[in-house]
Amino acid sequence: FKNGTDGNLKIAFDAIAAASHPHHFLSVTSEGQTAIVATAGNDDCHVILRGGRQPNFDAQSVAAACDAAAAAKAPCKLMVDMSHGNSSKKPENQLLVSQNIAAQLALGESRIFGVMVESHLVFGRQDLQAGQGLSDLTYGQSITDGCIGWDDSLEILQNLANGVRARRLAASRAAA
């Protein structure tokens, strides 16, 4: 569950608490019949740090999110959205975010388990106009959010891989 667009984490932790419990609700089956549906609850939920009024991917924000998780009696399992508020809605800033996250990983950060990246083959975004055919669009460029291109995507993956390698190396040295 993502934090609110204002940066508020409480709504994400409240959603995790709700999702972790069983529920019964009225729904419609694929055959069109009314039915009562039961869920067992999902203990495998996590918070996505998407930024808000300010970015929330740095080490201090990760620590604050984990403090909030402890207060909410929730596990601190974090995914970082490198786009949206964390990149100030500038796709190219995702590279800087990845460098920061990689540095945290290299220092042993284990509470960040994943990232979200707005990535496509071609940098940027394009508008789909009424009456426009697909052949009028740039192949491999987003028509929704602005994205980094292929080369920047590779650089982000390399940054993160380097951070994970450094964390594993430090852990193996500490265990020896």
Side-chain angles (χ1 to χ4, degrees), residues 41-132:
N42 185 349
D43 291 330
D44 197 25
C45 297
H46 59 273
V47 169
I48 301 171
L49 299 177
R50 67 175 316 275
R53 290 192 178 107
Q54 59 190 13
N56 63 357
F57 61 85
D58 59 278
Q60 296 82 0
S61 297
V62 168
C66 289
D67 290 345
K73 296 182 175 55
C76 188
K77 298 187 292 188
L78 303 175
M79 179 176 285
V80 177
D81 181 343
M82 291 193 205
S83 187
H84 301 99
N86 279 331
S87 68
S88 302
K89 297 188 179 183
K90 296 179 182 173
E92 61 273 18
N93 286 349
Q94 293 182 92
L95 288 165
L96 300 173
V97 176
S98 76
Q99 292 165 358
N100 184 289
I101 293 169
Q104 291 181 62
L105 296 174
L107 291 172
E109 179 59 70
S110 61
R111 300 169 294 187
I112 298 172
F113 76 92
V115 297
M116 294 173 65
V117 182
E118 294 281 354
S119 171
H120 215 314
L121 299 174
V122 177
F123 176 86
R125 65 170 304 280
Q126 60 190 322
D127 290 321
L128 178 61
Q129 305 294 331
Q132 185 178 25

Side-chain angles (χ1 to χ4, degrees), residues 1-2 8 20 29 33 48 52 55 69-70 78 88 91-92 98-99 115-116 123-124 129 142-143 152 155 166 173:
F1 296 95
K2 287 187 176 186
N8 180 351
S20 68
T29 69
Q33 298 295 312
I48 301 171
L78 303 175
S88 302
E92 61 273 18
S98 76
Q99 292 165 358
V115 297
M116 294 173 65
F123 176 86
Q129 305 294 331
S142 176
I143 59 170
D152 289 340
E155 185 174 339
R173 285 183 180 155

